[in-house]
Amino acid sequence: MVEFKVSVKNYYPGSVEVPTWVKNDYYHRVTQTLYKGKPVIKGGKECVLLGKKVKKSGGQEIAGINTWVAKENLVIVNSIPDNKGNRTYTVQKGDTLWRIAEKELGRGTRYPEIKKLNGLTSDTIYPGQVLKLPE
């Protein structure tokens, strides 16, 4: 989960201006970091895709802006309570679903629960990705 830095004007250099409501009213879930296995470069900057947004007041998750944004324009928000009361975990470099399940849930064999809760179709996770954790 990320939010825009206050000073940000455009999604990436040369793009359209970021609307005030996008910056002030929502957190954003990074849903893609690569395209065809490679980083996405726009305006000379590495970008990530923001595919879901979460209302800052109330935590309701809804369809996102679905826009590529320069990574440098965003800051990671480590823990956002969601509307289901689940805990979250921000993926760190070197993490695997098994290790996260082992560390956060007590048993690595519980990793399929994390996959299901987050709608993951593969075991691939990325640093900075925020995962919901089951109780």
Side-chain angles (χ1 to χ4, degrees):
M1 196 66 65
V2 296
E3 66 181 330
F4 282 85
K5 293 178 180 174
V6 176
S7 61
V8 169
K9 300 281 187 248
N10 301 74
Y11 291 108
Y12 52 85
S15 76
V16 298
E17 190 171 323
V18 179
T20 303
W21 64 268
V22 170
K23 292 196 299 189
N24 297 339
D25 298 346
Y26 295 93
Y27 297 113
H28 302 272
R29 190 173 302 282
V30 174
T31 55
Q32 194 172 334
T33 58
L34 302 173
Y35 181 72
K36 294 186 177 182
K38 296 182 180 174
V40 172
I41 308 297
K42 291 186 173 280
K45 301 294 180 180
E46 187 173 340
C47 295
V48 295
L49 185 68
L50 304 183
K52 294 277 187 181
K53 61 184 187 254
V54 177
K55 190 91 171 136
K56 286 186 178 180
S57 62
Q60 180 185 11
E61 185 169 316
I62 53 179
I65 59 173
N66 227 15
T67 301
W68 290 97
V69 178
K71 288 168 67 172
E72 68 183 25
N73 291 346
L74 305 167
V75 291
I76 294 173
V77 180
N78 284 322
S79 183
I80 302 296
D82 66 25
N83 54 350
K84 296 182 186 106
N86 293 314
R87 295 183 301 136
T88 61
Y89 177 84
T90 303
V91 177
Q92 306 298 309
K93 186 176 181 182
D95 275 343
T96 64
L97 288 170
W98 180 281
R99 283 193 210 138
I100 294 168
E102 195 170 49
K103 183 167 58 171
E104 298 294 322
L105 307 177
R107 289 194 329 257
T109 55
R110 291 188 64 191
Y111 83 91
E113 295 174 53
I114 297 172
K115 280 181 70 171
K116 183 178 179 182
L117 184 62
N118 290 278
L120 300 176
T121 57
S122 77
D123 292 346
T124 304
I125 55 175
Y126 305 96
Q129 184 176 7
V130 179
L131 299 173
K132 296 176 189 174
L133 297 176
E135 296 303 314

